[in-house]
């Protein structure tokens, strides 16, 4: 899945660099229209589920505290990613890589998009290797929960360290750019392990009779984290530039660790 998402970043970067913003958006809209038509034509009948009348609308939230706390950790985890991923780092890289000319801006668009694409693809590769790295098949649920808390904690210092480096630099600098590249690759590795452990645990925690709803709630939290992260990315960058943007990511990562640590109390 993430390899395909990475390919989408490459295509978006190429369209942005070669055809411009409006043409890229129209191209994306056209592809989405084709996908919508394909879903409408080929989706098997009866696939969408129906809510049981006795559940009511209050049943969207799980009664299992583990599911709710894991979903909260997931929300903050993806918020921590998108705080720097959406605005802060792309804008910084654009300012560093572009010489201000139209040609330079197009080249910078492609390089920035290419970096994001490679980050996503590498992130997906780490996710695929996570079961081997953590030995998930041979370990009890309690041990995987302990590792979820551990890896959530390991993520916290990375954005704070990068924020400190950006603050010391005071502006674009070659050493800062390379520090950010290396730091964000490290962030991606730890983030991918966290994401994989979460996806394992939501299936382990979910009850058989409502597993689709628990997973849906979990991914709703995922989407909420991305929305919050996107909003905070723009706000924090406008207020305090790249240092505050990265520091905000650190705060979100710390909140993810806090939510994951509460799994011990269940």
């Amino acid at each position: 899945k993430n390899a395909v998402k990475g390919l989408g970043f490459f295509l978006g970067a190429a369209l942005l660099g070669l055809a411009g913003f409006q043409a890229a958006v129209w191209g994306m809209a056209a592809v989405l229209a084709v996908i919508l038509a394909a879903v409408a034509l080929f989706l098997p009948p009866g696939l969408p589920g129906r809510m049981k009348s006795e559940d009511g609308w209050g049943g969207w939230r799980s009664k299992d505290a583990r599911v709710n706390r894991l979903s909260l950790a997931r929300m903050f985890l993806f918020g921590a990613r998108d705080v720097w991923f959406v605005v802060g780092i792309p804008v910084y890289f654009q300012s560093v890589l572009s010489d201000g000319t139209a040609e330079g801006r197009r080249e910078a668009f492609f390089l920035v998009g290419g970096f994001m694409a490679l980050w996503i693809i590498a992130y997906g590769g780490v996710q695929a290797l996570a079961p081997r790295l953590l030995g998930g098949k041979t370990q009890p649920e309690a041990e995987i929960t302990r590792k979820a808390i551990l890896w959530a904690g390991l993520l916290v210092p990375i954005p704070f360290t990068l924020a400190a480096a950006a603050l010391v630099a005071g502006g674009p600098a070659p050493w800062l750019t390379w520090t950010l590249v290396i730091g964000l690759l490290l962030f991606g590795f730890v983030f991918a392990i966290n994401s994989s452990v979460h996806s394992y645990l939501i299936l382990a925690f979910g009850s058989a009779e409502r597993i689709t709803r628990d997973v849906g709630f979990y991914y709703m939290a995922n989407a909420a984290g991305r929305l919050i992260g996107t909003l905070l990315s723009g706000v924090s960058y406008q207020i305090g530039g790249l240092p505050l943007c990265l520091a905000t990511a650190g705060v979100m990562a710390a909140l993810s660790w806090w939510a994951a640590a509460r799994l011990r109390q269940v």
Side-chain angles (χ1 to χ4, degrees):
K1 180 192 73 172
N2 284 298
V4 175
K5 285 169 64 177
L7 177 61
F9 269 85
F10 272 125
L11 293 175
L15 280 173
L16 193 60
L18 297 174
F21 178 75
Q22 290 188 354
V25 173
W26 279 112
M28 181 173 64
V31 172
L32 289 173
V34 171
I35 294 172
L36 177 61
V39 169
L41 290 172
F42 302 113
L43 187 69
L47 184 61
R50 292 181 178 271
M51 180 183 293
K52 297 179 181 178
S53 58
E54 62 269 19
D55 286 342
W57 288 103
W60 62 273
R61 187 173 184 270
S62 177
K63 296 178 181 179
D64 190 332
R66 298 175 303 171
V67 171
N68 295 327
R69 292 176 183 182
L70 181 65
S71 298
L72 186 64
R74 183 79 172 186
M75 183 183 76
F76 287 127
L77 177 69
F78 272 78
R81 196 271 309 261
D82 280 13
V83 165
W84 64 262
F85 192 84
V86 176
V87 174
I89 290 299
V91 170
Y92 172 84
F93 281 166
Q94 171 72 14
S95 67
V96 170
L97 297 173
S98 174
D99 59 6
T101 65
E103 183 66 27
R105 286 195 298 272
R106 285 196 294 269
E107 183 178 346
F109 283 145
F110 186 75
L111 291 174
V112 174
F115 173 77
M116 297 299 185
L118 291 173
W119 193 94
I120 289 288
I121 293 171
Y123 154 70
V126 174
Q127 278 190 312
L129 293 174
R132 293 183 182 180
L133 296 174
L134 300 177
K137 291 184 178 180
T138 60
Q139 297 182 24
E141 182 182 298
E143 177 62 16
I144 298 297
T145 301
R146 186 191 70 81
K147 288 187 175 181
I149 299 169
L150 170 65
W151 281 92
L154 291 176
L155 188 67
V156 176
I158 300 174
F160 281 126
T161 301
L162 295 177
L167 189 62
V168 170
W175 70 267
L176 176 61
T177 301
W178 283 109
T179 300
L180 290 173
V181 170
I182 295 170
L184 294 176
L185 290 176
L186 179 60
F187 183 99
F189 178 85
V190 181
F191 177 87
I193 297 293
N194 274 277
S195 180
S196 295
V197 174
H198 287 184
S199 295
Y200 173 87
L201 287 176
I202 190 60
L203 296 177
F205 292 162
S207 58
E209 61 272 12
R210 55 168 292 137
I211 186 63
T212 54
R213 196 175 300 181
D214 285 343
V215 172
F217 178 69
Y218 164 83
Y219 275 106
M220 183 178 71
N222 188 114
R226 299 197 65 178
L227 173 61
I228 294 169
T230 298
L231 292 173
L232 289 177
S233 185
V235 171
S236 60
Y237 192 85
Q238 284 185 318
I239 294 174
L242 186 61
L244 182 59
C245 196
L246 291 167
T248 304
V251 172
M252 297 290 281
L255 289 171
S256 180
W257 170 78
W258 166 78
R262 295 184 68 208
L263 291 170
R264 285 202 193 103
Q265 303 171 11
V266 181

